[in-house]
């Protein structure tokens, strides 16, 4: 009764190749190429990302400190109250 999902269309003139997962190496060149590649990508993007993030953090903390200082009461306004 009808076609099953995955066999809905007939594709012609397309050749697919696959390799069994049991014949593949799970982590080829992991230590020799993988870790240096991660380090290269990290150092390439760090100096693009870190300065704006640092600037935004400093601006945020400065704004919070200024806001909290503005909310404080001035003790000299209440010296003569009884």
């Amino acid at each position: 009764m009808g076609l099953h999902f995955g066999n809905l269309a007939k594709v012609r003139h397309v050749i697919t190749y696959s390799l069994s997962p049991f014949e593949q190496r799970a982590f080829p060149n992991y230590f020799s190429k993988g870790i240096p590649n991660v380090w290269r990508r990290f150092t390439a993007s760090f100096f693009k990302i870190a300065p704006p993030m640092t600037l935004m953090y400093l601006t945020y903390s400065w704004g919070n400190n200024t806001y909290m200082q503005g909310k404080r009461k001035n003790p000299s306004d209440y010296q003569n109250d009884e």
Side-chain angles (χ1 to χ4, degrees):
M1 179 170 150
L3 296 174
H4 296 289
F5 191 78
N7 295 323
L8 297 177
K10 217 175 219 194
V11 179
R12 295 176 45 176
H13 307 293
V14 176
I15 300 171
T16 59
Y17 297 96
S18 64
L19 183 64
S20 170
F22 299 109
E23 296 179 17
Q24 296 179 11
R25 295 188 312 175
F27 298 104
N29 303 323
Y30 182 73
F31 292 107
S32 63
K33 293 182 182 175
I35 294 175
N37 188 38
V38 168
W39 179 253
R40 179 189 57 82
R41 291 174 64 182
F42 173 77
T43 56
S45 64
F46 178 77
F47 294 109
K48 293 177 188 174
I49 302 297
M53 294 292 279
T54 305
L55 182 65
M56 290 306 298
Y57 173 76
L58 292 174
T59 304
Y60 178 76
S61 60
W62 170 80
N64 279 342
N65 286 338
T66 305
Y67 175 73
M68 293 306 281
Q69 286 176 356
K71 284 183 62 171
R72 277 193 268 171
K73 294 180 181 180
N74 188 3
S76 62
D77 292 341
Y78 303 102
Q79 283 179 352
N80 296 329
D81 286 352
E82 294 194 35

